[in-house]
Amino acid sequence: MPEGHTIHRLAADYRERFGGRAVRVTSPQGKFSDAAALLDGTVLETTEAHGKHLFLGFGAGEWVHIHLGLFGKVTFGGAPVPPPTDTVRLRLAHDDAHVDLRGPTACALVTDPEKQAVHDRLGPDPLRDGDDPARAWRRVSRSRTTIAALLMDQKVIAGVGNVYRAEVLFRHGIDPYRAGKDVSETEWAAIWQDLVTLMREGVRTNRIDTVRPEHTPEAMGRPPRVDDHGGEVYVYRRAHLPCHICGGEIRTADLAARNLFWCPGCQRR
DNA sequence: TAAGTATGTTAAG
DNA sequence: TTAACCTACTTAC
């Protein structure tokens, strides 16, 4: 379930479990077999995440560039290593553990310059120390595109997906259809800082929780949420349900082929 | 068994 | 704007 927090968490998990060790590299499904053969038996030196892109560094300028897309999944497991199922694109293993990658949009061996080209086309990432929100602000403040679309544009800001997009706009009371140029610099600074906090928490817990303590089901005497997407949220996938704060009906719409959710009562144009 | 859905992206028209 | 790609799970028939 991949937004940026998932990928940063994966970078840490791959590094912790396989970093600094020689690993067996295979591609049971076959689409990565040639590259897997080249890497087999070499040491995983480092890992890195930028937005939703994951890089596994095998030294000598050899990187595996992974993008999970909508369906990709990574599962870690221990030893003994079980026989792989036929959808495993990439398996790393050593004597104590293994990890399987299934269904990624991208899994390719790339060089340093090719990796750099990926960084160059991504905007600043709230989860990368030192990334500059002003770079994103320059684009947002000059754009007639909606803030909802801009938050999903990885060239503008890297790592935000459909859940963080909907939730951060709700938390700041901003209507998703407001144009970027009509968002104030103060509002943008607050959105960025909030994303830093929310996404760091997401890396820690491996899920997306955006509801403030005073609005949780327990605090408000509501029944627990039924939806199974993992975290506690205000509007994501809550179409036609009452808003936790104003009680009005949460709306949903298609925006650039993705589901948008917002509360017209709490979010202002 | 088939259809529908999902926290994503790219390329073609 | 649409289709294509990748997987797994749920629901309908």
Side-chain angles (χ1 to χ4, degrees):
Chain A
M1 298 124 195
E3 294 195 24
H5 70 301
T6 304
I7 310 309
H8 282 262
R9 173 61 179 259
L10 284 175
D13 287 348
Y14 266 98
R15 191 163 55 238
E16 186 177 311
R17 294 167 192 234
F18 298 91
R21 301 184 61 159
V23 289
R24 296 193 294 281
V25 184
T26 53
S27 179
Q29 175 231 33
K31 281 197 188 175
F32 193 65
S33 296
D34 292 352
L38 283 172
L39 296 172
D40 191 29
T42 64
V43 174
L44 177 63
E45 303 282 356
T46 186
T47 66
E48 189 179 338
H50 185 167
K52 300 167 190 169
H53 296 256
L54 173 65
F55 299 94
L56 307 180
F58 284 85
E62 303 264 49
W63 298 91
V64 179
H65 172 217
I66 294 169
H67 194 296
L68 295 184
L70 193 50
F71 313 124
K73 279 198 172 48
V74 172
T75 50
F76 293 90
V81 179
T85 58
D86 58 9
T87 56
V88 175
R89 180 80 60 90
L90 170 66
R91 167 173 279 187
L92 305 189
H94 54 50
D95 289 345
D96 311 318
H98 71 281
V99 56
D100 287 342
L101 167 68
R102 289 182 174 80
T105 284
C107 175
L109 196 56
V110 301
T111 61
D112 279 320
E114 287 168 330
K115 171 174 179 283
Q116 189 55 47
V118 175
H119 292 300
D120 291 345
R121 64 181 160 81
L122 291 172
D125 177 345
L127 288 173
R128 281 169 75 92
D129 284 339
D131 271 20
D132 183 7
R135 255 175 74 213
W137 169 244
R138 279 195 285 278
R139 296 188 65 141
V140 169
S141 62
R142 289 167 191 173
S143 177
R144 277 177 293 183
T145 305
T146 62
I147 188 62
L150 289 164
L151 281 170
M152 294 281 279
D153 184 342
Q154 304 296 300
K155 297 187 293 299
V156 174
I157 178 169
V160 175
N162 208 19
V163 184
Y164 284 122
R165 179 261 294 266
E167 294 297 310
V168 82
L169 288 175
F170 178 88
R171 283 168 61 96
H172 294 266
I174 296 171
D175 185 288
Y177 291 100
R178 196 195 297 180
K181 64 181 178 54
D182 296 327
V183 173
S184 75
E185 190 162 10
T186 308
E187 284 173 320
W188 179 258
I191 286 174
W192 176 275
Q193 186 49 55
D194 204 22
L195 286 169
V196 170
T197 306
L198 290 172
M199 293 175 78
R200 277 187 187 157
E201 183 68 2
V203 173
R204 195 177 69 77
T205 61
N206 224 357
R207 45 182 262 174
I208 300 179
D209 292 290
T210 61
V211 174
R212 297 186 175 90
E214 64 269 31
H215 299 138
T216 59
E218 309 83 69
M220 298 193 77
R222 277 187 280 109
R225 183 174 46 77
V226 232
D227 198 317
D228 63 351
H229 62 73
E232 207 60 57
V233 293
Y234 286 106
V235 292
Y236 175 69
R237 264 172 41 175
R238 296 197 62 249
H240 314 305
L241 293 169
C243 172
H244 293 335
I245 294 188
C246 77
E249 187 176 318
I250 303 299
R251 289 190 59 186
T252 185
D254 249 35
L255 188 90
R258 306 304 301 280
N259 299 319
L260 179 63
F261 303 90
W262 80 104
C263 171
C266 293
Q267 299 177 250
R268 296 284 162 215
R269 286 306 277 265

